[in-house]
């Protein structure tokens, strides 16, 4: 079994759980507070890991500048996604955002000239294709909040795709930790500056449980990136990203059974197709 597939699947689990926590917390205390606290705690974990490793490659000036430039992209991706989770149903928003895997796979094949076996290519097509089906809105007319959430999820998906691709490609030279550590530091700096200058209004206080949820979400999100980057380092970027893009299975199930969101039949088919695609990927 491809190491990139295994590590990509682990990142999918952590990201899926993080999405669930972000949804619960952002709907109570607002997306911006959730974003700020979760990013800070995620960065704290990365710093601890960096101190524990204590032997990290030094990036060049060009690499640092490229990672710094990723900061605004990451802010757009996270802010759009967290706001989308606050507004729209998680069972729809999460799979739409996960379509960033299609962007990464496309860039990996076109820019990095990675080659896929026939089985791996079929697995990628199944995973990404059924994610699109799972993300497709039901025929009923959505509310205004749902529509805004879906549009923001689409924007976040594109931003996440470029963000993940750059992180994955830089992991070849800088390893699995340095790229995300620098990019996340810039992201926290930007969000913190916005919080000081003019924070968006929020619906209410987070409370103790909300803060704990932010801590858990930030740690899970950071762990997902560490595992994802490691998978891209030891395996193929396209395979790792395709496996990782299956993470909306968890939010969809939570939305269906815990939040009792209405899920159309084609979305359920999409979830089943994603699981089948992951099996095909594991056999490639």
């Amino acid at each position: 079994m491809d190491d990139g597939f295994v590590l990509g699947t682990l990142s999918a689990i952590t990201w899926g759980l993080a999405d669930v926590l972000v949804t619960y917390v952002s709907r109570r205390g607002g997306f911006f507070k959730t974003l700020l606290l979760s990013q800070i705690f995620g960065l704290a974990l990365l710093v601890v890991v960096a101190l524990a490793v204590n032997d990290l490659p030094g990036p060049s000036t060009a690499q640092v500048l490229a990672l710094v430039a990723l900061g605004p992209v990451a802010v757009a991706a996270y802010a759009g996604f967290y706001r989308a989770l606050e507004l729209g149903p998680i069972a729809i928003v999460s799979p739409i955002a996960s379509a960033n895997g299609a962007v990464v796979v496309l860039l990996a094949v076109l820019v990095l000239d990675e080659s896929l076996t026939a089985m791996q290519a079929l697995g990628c097509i199944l995973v990404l294709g059924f994610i699109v089906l799972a993300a497709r809105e039901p025929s009923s007319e959505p509310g205004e909040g749902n529509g805004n959430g879906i549009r923001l999820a689409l924007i976040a998906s594109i931003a996440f795709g470029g963000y993940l691709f750059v992180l994955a490609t830089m992991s070849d030279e800088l390893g699995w930790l340095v790229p995300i550590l620098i990019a996340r530091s810039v992201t926290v700096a930007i969000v913190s500056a916005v919080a000081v200058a003019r924070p968006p209004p929020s619906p209410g206080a987070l409370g103790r449980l909300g803060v704990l949820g932010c801590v858990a979400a930030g740690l899970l999100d950071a762990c997902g990136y560490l595992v994802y980057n490691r998978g891209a380092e030891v395996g193929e970027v396209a395979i790792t990203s395709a496996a990782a893009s299956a993470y909306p299975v968890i939010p969809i199930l939570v939305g269906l059974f815990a939040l009792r969101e209405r899920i159309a039949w084609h979305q359920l088919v999409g979830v089943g197709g994603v699981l089948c695609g992951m099996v095909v990927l594991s056999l490639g």
Side-chain angles (χ1 to χ4, degrees), residues 5 48 52 63 158 189 200 231:
F5 172 82
V48 170
Q63 289 171 328
I158 297 172

Side-chain angles (χ1 to χ4, degrees), residues 84-238:
L85 287 174
E86 181 184 358
L87 293 176
I90 185 176
I92 297 176
V93 167
S94 188
I96 288 177
S98 74
N100 64 72
V103 179
V104 179
V105 170
L106 180 61
L107 291 174
V109 173
L110 296 179
V111 178
L112 301 181
D113 198 27
E114 290 189 352
S115 59
L116 306 177
T117 66
M119 187 72 75
Q120 290 170 337
L122 176 60
C124 288
I125 292 173
L126 287 174
V127 170
L128 299 176
F130 277 106
I131 280 178
V132 173
L133 181 62
R136 184 170 169 266
E137 281 191 86
S139 57
S140 59
E141 188 70 20
E144 181 179 354
N146 290 350
N148 290 335
I150 291 172
R151 285 190 288 272
L152 287 170
L154 288 171
I155 295 173
S157 178
I158 297 172
F160 271 128
Y163 179 64
L164 289 173
F165 175 74
V166 175
L167 288 179
T169 53
M170 287 197 169
S171 67
D172 291 336
E173 297 181 3
L174 298 178
W176 50 275
L177 178 56
V178 173
I180 183 60
L181 177 61
I182 296 176
R184 181 61 59 90
S185 299
V186 177
T187 301
V188 169
I190 294 174
V191 177
S192 299
V194 174
V196 173
R198 190 177 180 182
S202 60
L206 286 176
R208 182 178 300 177
L209 289 179
V211 173
L212 291 177
C214 290
V215 173
L219 297 180
L220 286 169
D221 181 63
C223 285
Y225 277 106
L226 291 176
V227 176
Y228 175 86
N229 286 348
R230 179 59 177 169
E233 183 182 19
V234 301
E236 297 239 359
V237 173

